[in-house]
Amino acid sequence: MNPVYLAVGIVVLAAGIVDIVWTTLWVDGGSGPVSGRLTTGIWKGLRAATGDRNRALSLAGPLILLLTLATWIGLIWLGWTLIFSSEPLAVVNSRTGGPADWWGRFYYVAYTMFTDGNGDYTPVYGGNVWEVASAFTTASGMAFVTLGVSYVLTVLGAVSDKRSFASTVTGLGDRSEAFLRTGWNGEDFRGLELTVESLAADLSTLAEQHKSYPILHYYHSERADRASAVAVPILDEALMLSRYAIPEGEGLDPAIVDNGRSSVESYLETLDTAFIDPAPSVPRAPDLERLREDDVPTVSDEVFAEALADRTDRRRRLLGVVEADAWEWPPVKE
């Protein structure tokens, strides 16, 4: 027996299983050690190679998802191949009775993982030991490959939710000032309150999905109006305008504003799992003149500037979201 092949095979197999379980079942764990580094590397590589072209970056999510699944399958496949290669007679050719070569063992593990074998090769040395190992190979293939495929399908559903949320926000306004102006009826913003409540609930769900599936951060949309990295700052800045730029008692219900901003904070908390840092600079402030054009009552520019100064860290985090997804602030112009 070759103990090196056995030890390396067990390590590779364990790495694949741990990464799958970590990524798919541990909700608060983010991406696994292998898939997390793979995801970040592919995203950064694509940005560097394409110059942040939106069409090219829109391939990042599918590519990362496909390569993550392939990596999981490859680690399990390679791990079992090394384990079966640790003993020369662990797998033999059924026709000749001779020991299988490397390709034969690779072939045997593939068929055992996915179909429970085809009879061309069979375990022989050590009696039940390699037969039991073959059974575990089949079990690991069925269990963990199925788990990986289920994860892929779940992520795709979350991508649809993410784009639906973004489309709803940007449909009301492509800047925070435009979003708030949409709800102004000449007297108050009551027509906007139900929509903001619904968006806050959707964003809370999206935040949990990002926490469970960090790969969602790398699903880049070709269009800014379908990108959550664009929509979240628009929503938060609009709520901030209602709280600090509109005179007290004339903006949105404070409870609705607090609920919405709490949902944004939950979303921002997921950034650590995607290695997204706050931007070094502070984004441009909303333009109160855009509100005044529609006769929306506002506080003075000085008062609003003081309120913004106390919220620099939060706004830098929002800018970090925008820049990490290769957009600009404000991402969409009227």
Side-chain angles (χ1 to χ4, degrees):
M1 175 175 284
N2 188 323
V4 174
Y5 284 168
L6 180 62
V8 173
I10 291 174
V11 170
V12 171
L13 179 62
I17 292 175
V18 167
D19 200 77
I20 293 174
V21 173
W22 186 317
T23 304
T24 62
L25 299 183
W26 189 11
V27 174
D28 295 323
S31 295
V34 177
S35 55
R37 288 169 174 77
L38 176 68
T39 296
T40 304
I42 293 173
W43 175 253
K44 290 181 177 179
L46 274 176
R47 290 196 64 177
T50 63
D52 286 347
R53 292 183 178 87
N54 288 325
R55 185 170 183 80
L57 289 180
S58 68
L59 299 175
L63 181 61
I64 290 170
L65 200 56
L66 179 62
L67 290 179
T68 297
L69 181 60
T71 298
W72 289 338
I73 294 174
L75 287 173
I76 294 175
W77 193 345
L78 177 61
W80 280 118
T81 300
L82 289 169
I83 290 173
F84 279 101
S85 298
S86 65
E87 173 54 56
L89 295 177
V91 178
V92 298
N93 190 304
S94 299
R95 292 189 295 271
T96 66
D101 58 13
W102 269 98
W103 285 112
R105 295 169 198 271
F106 199 67
Y107 176 76
Y108 171 76
V109 169
Y111 265 95
T112 305
M113 280 180 60
F114 302 117
T115 65
D116 198 22
N118 70 341
D120 290 348
Y121 294 91
T122 182
V124 64
Y125 180 84
N128 294 333
V129 173
W130 295 109
E131 291 178 354
V132 172
S134 298
F136 275 110
T137 303
T138 301
S140 64
M142 294 178 62
F144 296 114
V145 173
T146 301
L147 188 60
V149 172
S150 298
Y151 175 79
V152 168
L153 297 177
T154 304
V155 168
L156 292 178
V159 170
S160 297
D161 294 341
K162 173 180 177 177
R163 293 185 176 178
S164 175
F165 165 80
S167 296
T168 302
V169 172
T170 56
L172 292 171
D174 53 12
R175 294 174 61 123
S176 58
E177 306 96 319
F179 182 97
L180 202 58
R181 279 183 358 208
T182 300
W184 177 249
N185 60 16
E187 297 180 358
D188 54 43
F189 295 94
R190 290 182 183 176
L192 190 60
E193 291 181 346
L194 186 60
T195 300
V196 171
E197 281 189 294
S198 177
L199 287 172
D202 291 343
L203 184 55
S204 292
T205 300
L206 182 61
E208 289 302 314
Q209 289 174 330
H210 272 268
K211 187 179 295 184
S212 301
Y213 320 117
I215 191 176
L216 284 177
H217 286 292
Y218 303 101
Y219 257 88
H220 179 89
S221 175
E222 287 187 54
R223 294 169 47 181
D225 60 356
R226 294 181 181 175
S228 64
V230 170
V232 172
I234 290 175
L235 176 62
D236 192 65
E237 293 277 283
L239 296 177
M240 183 189 66
L241 281 170
S242 177
R243 169 60 63 85
Y244 301 109
I246 308 299
E248 186 174 354
E250 298 188 47
L252 293 166
D253 185 331
I256 293 176
V257 172
D258 287 345
N259 184 46
R261 286 173 63 80
S262 175
S263 296
V264 173
E265 183 61 32
S266 296
Y267 177 84
L268 291 175
E269 288 174 357
T270 69
L271 302 185
D272 291 339
T273 62
F275 308 104
I276 297 175
D277 298 319
S281 59
V282 181
R284 293 193 295 272
D287 186 358
L288 298 189
E289 287 300 325
R290 292 175 177 266
L291 298 178
R292 293 165 184 155
E293 289 172 0
D294 281 2
D295 297 324
V296 178
T298 68
V299 299
S300 67
D301 291 339
E302 293 74 16
V303 171
F304 183 55
E306 290 179 6
L308 283 185
D310 294 333
R311 282 144 193 92
T312 297
D313 290 343
R314 183 185 181 98
R315 301 187 70 237
R316 286 178 56 233
R317 293 168 71 195
L318 287 168
L319 180 57
V321 173
V322 174
E323 293 180 343
D325 202 33
W327 296 106
E328 296 179 358
W329 184 295
V332 187
K333 294 184 179 181
E334 293 180 299

